[in-house]
Amino acid sequence: QVQLVESGGGLVQPGGSLRLSCVASGSIFSINAMGWYRQGSGKERELVADISSGGSTNYADSVKGRFTISRDNAKNTVYLQMNSLKPEDTAVYYCNWNVRTSDSGSYYDSWGRGTQVTVSS
């Protein structure tokens, strides 16, 4: 099994920045993609950004130009740099990795428990 732990959330004023980290542990044979999702109060979970094994990135329209996803393979970590934060970015942010734990296994989604980001003055 793969465990994901997010960190870096908190309270920030509008216009501020935060960097989220997601560290993976466990037996990982290969990674298909890594991503960040968020769920605001009363809303459905939505994709914020993801990065493929080849390094291609994809962003929700609402965060393009403000958020950047990156990864450090040596540290088994994916990051989300969030700049120019807005109150509507307030949500619980979840890390997601699509991985497999053996050569014969299938890819599956592993999720972290989430980290709260609150943007408020």
Side-chain angles (χ1 to χ4, degrees):
Q1 291 295 328
V2 175
Q3 295 79 41
L4 303 178
V5 178
E6 303 100 334
S7 62
L11 173 64
V12 63
Q13 292 186 344
S17 298
L18 285 174
R19 188 176 83 152
L20 306 183
S21 300
C22 172
V23 180
S25 61
S27 178
I28 299 175
F29 180 79
S30 63
I31 303 168
N32 183 35
M34 306 176 229
W36 288 94
Y37 289 71
R38 68 186 180 186
Q39 187 166 17
S41 179
K43 298 180 180 180
E44 293 186 355
R45 191 173 297 189
E46 62 175 357
L47 174 68
V48 176
D50 60 22
I51 182 166
S52 72
S53 58
S56 298
T57 58
N58 176 52
Y59 296 92
D61 288 343
S62 60
V63 307
K64 282 181 181 177
R66 299 188 298 122
F67 291 10
T68 302
I69 188 170
S70 62
R71 67 185 188 197
D72 186 332
N73 292 336
K75 295 182 178 180
N76 265 359
T77 302
V78 63
Y79 304 97
L80 185 68
Q81 177 67 43
M82 306 186 295
N83 299 328
S84 302
L85 282 161
K86 305 175 181 180
E88 50 263 44
D89 294 318
T90 296
V92 177
Y93 284 70
Y94 298 90
C95 178
N96 169 274
W97 288 34
N98 188 248
V99 300
R100 58 177 177 168
T101 56
S102 69
D103 186 24
S104 59
S106 300
Y107 283 99
Y108 70 96
D109 285 327
S110 182
W111 292 89
R113 292 189 174 185
T115 184
Q116 176 70 46
V117 171
T118 302
V119 185
S120 175
S121 56

